[in-house]
Amino acid sequence: MNRVQLTAEVVECKPLRYTPAGIPVLELMLAHESEVMEGGRARRVDMTVNALAIGDLARSLERTALGKRMQIQGFLAATRKGSSRLRLHIQQAVTVAHSATDPAAAAPVSGNETD
């Protein structure tokens, strides 16, 4: 199984581009901070992740993503055939508030349905 679920802030959003077949593609940089338990001890995680959205989701994220905190679901794949570098391919994205008391705590991004 190859499934990733991550809460992250969109810190970079490159211009929307199109494949030769006319499919929209959006490249993003996500920043994630959390604390997780590993080996019985708390571990601080602070990282950036290269991500990619394709199709209707790419168009929707282009309009709404920059600076937003989002719950992302997707999968990891090599950036190119034979490469060891990985990129997160976004299949679903939902904006979330920075505070749990915010009434707009979660809102789906249009075009994020993949099933």
Side-chain angles (χ1 to χ4, degrees):
M1 174 178 270
N2 181 355
R3 188 82 174 143
V4 175
Q5 185 171 333
L6 183 71
T7 300
E9 181 177 336
V10 179
V11 294
E12 184 180 327
C13 186
K14 293 187 177 177
L16 187 69
R17 64 180 176 84
Y18 292 86
T19 68
I23 299 169
V25 176
L26 186 66
E27 295 180 55
L28 306 153
M29 177 70 70
L30 307 175
H32 169 83
E33 293 181 15
S34 66
E35 189 171 289
V36 297
M37 295 300 291
E38 181 179 43
R41 296 183 182 256
R43 177 179 177 176
R44 180 89 179 134
V45 177
D46 187 358
M47 64 180 182
T48 57
V49 178
N50 287 314
L52 184 76
I54 297 175
D56 291 340
L57 181 57
R59 284 190 191 105
S60 297
L61 288 174
E62 178 195 32
R63 292 189 301 269
T64 63
L66 191 59
K68 299 283 184 167
R69 183 174 165 91
M70 307 191 87
Q71 281 184 339
I72 304 289
Q73 291 183 0
F75 63 93
L76 295 174
T79 55
R80 298 187 191 282
K81 186 175 180 177
S83 174
S84 62
R85 293 181 53 197
L86 300 176
R87 179 172 21 209
L88 174 60
H89 288 246
I90 301 171
Q91 294 175 302
Q92 294 183 349
V94 177
T95 58
V96 294
H98 288 277
S99 168
T101 59
D102 190 327
V109 175
S110 298
N112 67 347
E113 296 303 318
T114 60
D115 297 340

